Amino acid sequence: MIDPALVAERFGTPAFVYDLDRVRAARTDLATALPEEFEIFYAVKANPHPDILRELRSVPGKATRAEISSTGELEAALAGGFAGADILYTGPGKTAGEIAEALSAGVRLFSVESLGDLRRIGATAASAGVIAHCLLRINSATSSASTSIRMTGTPSQFGFDSETIPEISDEILSVPATKIDGAHFYSLSNARDEESLVAELLHTIDCAATLQSQLGIAFELLDIGGGFAAPYASIGERPLYSNLGAALRSALDANFGGWREGAPKIAVESGRYLVGDSGDLVTTVVNLKDSRGKRFVVADAGINTFGGMSGLGRLLPVAVRPREDGRPADQKASLVGPLCTPGDMLGRDIALPALEPDDVVVVPNAGAYGPTASLLMFLGRPAPVEIVVRGGEVLGATRLRHTRENVRAIENSALPTEVGASA
């Protein structure tokens, strides 16, 4: 990674620095951990930067595909070199307009969350004269891992409740202009350890085999989800999963005998693992504030720049990379941003070196869920610069812009009032 002081001097702060060499290394490590027959979907929500998308597309071996949940992510994926046929469209709130736009771009694969979602996709596909290929997202009634971030087993807007499938299978299979290709699971995020990850994915494979039997069809594609971990805004390294591949092969051999020949194809998806350790957030100390025995280090990066959910206490605390000048992180202080809200907190009472105004500090492992996962528009401050490097060389620097566009020319700007309303 390039010198953060030079980043601050040349580009200003706050700034994200993304190292494409690390993106490539993560993609290679994940592929190595998995059976070679597996497909990998990249969750574009993790970081939709076009250079990162292009890098993931270019890694040798089986091509990475894209998982998206909006037409904005569709645009990013297409700009990053993904064809419509490479894309899986997910999400519980797909509108007819969004589905139509995806179909017109060549997307044919959709993750379906409910009967209503399936019928909307089918109606839109019928209007376009095409067939939509669908994966049933499943909210399993049971799970294996009791730690990490659970995504199933409770009432949820995500997925068909698994116990309802037998009673509605005929309805699922009879929606015009749709074809059920298989299933989509995503039951775990950021697994605590390899044992938890393996146990959950094996449980998913068992559930998928039961589902296939209940539907009475042969799956063509099974997406077993992810859960691959990576440190987020903290000091640490990505895990390497040495036992995962063998465990998956054994479970699939027992449940889906033809999977090695592509019947069904097996896929996983990942966001943070592929890009999390590729990025650093570089920020500058603006001010120091002592209040009732507590120290606050005020930086120019806040929840509008990084980890907007930090203000809700969801992602605290961040860490700061040790300084190259040898100053030890032996003081406790809160790292806060410049916004006019007490929620602008990046780290509460975290270990920091003795800092002064204009010092540059670095938050490591910030390549996932950065600017586009933050409160970017809040208080109208400029978006951070995003810098892409390879081999220590800067390839480009960009900044997202806050813009407003007219979506429709209106001849008469007056809106009709309700009957009886006063002017």
Side-chain angles (χ1 to χ4, degrees), residues 128-400:
V130 299
I131 299 296
H133 294 256
C134 298
L135 304 180
L136 302 183
R137 180 163 177 174
I138 301 299
N139 178 10
S140 299
T142 59
S143 64
S144 174
S146 59
T147 59
S148 311
I149 302 174
R150 297 288 325 145
M151 300 290 287
T152 58
T154 61
S156 174
Q157 69 269 44
F158 299 111
F160 290 81
D161 294 342
S162 59
E163 66 273 18
T164 69
I165 294 298
E167 63 190 64
I168 62 174
S169 60
D170 288 344
E171 293 179 83
I172 289 171
L173 296 173
S174 62
V175 176
T178 68
K179 180 178 181 298
I180 305 303
D181 278 6
H184 174 203
F185 292 77
Y186 200 96
S187 58
L188 182 70
S189 181
N190 206 30
R192 179 190 63 181
D193 50 38
E194 185 172 21
E195 182 180 1
S196 299
L197 175 65
V198 169
E200 189 62 32
L201 292 179
L202 298 192
H203 177 73
T204 292
I205 292 169
D206 287 341
C207 291
T210 299
L211 176 68
Q212 179 178 243
S213 177
Q214 290 171 338
L215 289 169
I217 63 174
F219 285 176
E220 296 179 23
L221 175 61
L222 172 61
D223 181 348
I224 62 174
F228 311 106
Y232 181 74
S234 59
I235 297 168
E237 301 292 330
R238 275 187 299 101
L240 299 176
Y241 296 115
S242 58
N243 301 314
L244 178 60
L248 290 173
R249 290 185 189 94
S250 178
L252 288 166
D253 284 341
N255 288 280
F256 294 93
W259 76 275
R260 293 176 186 260
E261 291 74 44
K265 296 178 181 177
I266 309 296
V268 297
E269 58 192 82
S270 178
R272 75 176 73 215
Y273 189 90
L274 293 174
V275 298
D277 75 347
S278 71
D280 283 341
L281 169 60
V282 182
T283 182
T284 300
V285 176
V286 177
N287 193 26
L288 302 176
K289 169 74 187 301
D290 294 304
S291 175
R292 295 176 177 157
K294 297 286 188 179
R295 167 149 286 201
F296 294 84
V297 176
V298 184
D300 60 6
I303 58 175
N304 60 318
T305 301
F306 185 66
M309 289 187 291
S310 294
L312 304 177
R314 295 277 304 276
L315 301 173
L316 290 171
V318 304
V320 169
R321 176 169 293 155
R323 292 179 61 92
E324 293 183 359
D325 59 15
R327 274 185 268 177
D330 57 1
Q331 301 186 17
K332 290 285 187 177
S334 293
L335 182 64
V336 302
L339 306 183
C340 297
T341 169
D344 193 15
M345 177 79 63
L346 293 181
R348 184 178 288 111
D349 293 328
I350 63 174
L352 292 171
L355 295 168
E356 299 293 337
D358 298 325
D359 279 348
V360 175
V361 294
V362 177
V363 176
N365 292 315
Y369 303 109
T372 55
S374 303
L375 304 182
L376 197 59
M377 296 290 289
F378 189 45
L379 287 176
R381 297 183 68 90
V385 178
E386 294 180 279
I387 302 158
V388 175
V389 304
R390 189 198 303 277
E393 179 183 352
V394 174
L395 303 183
T398 56
R399 189 197 305 273
L400 294 170

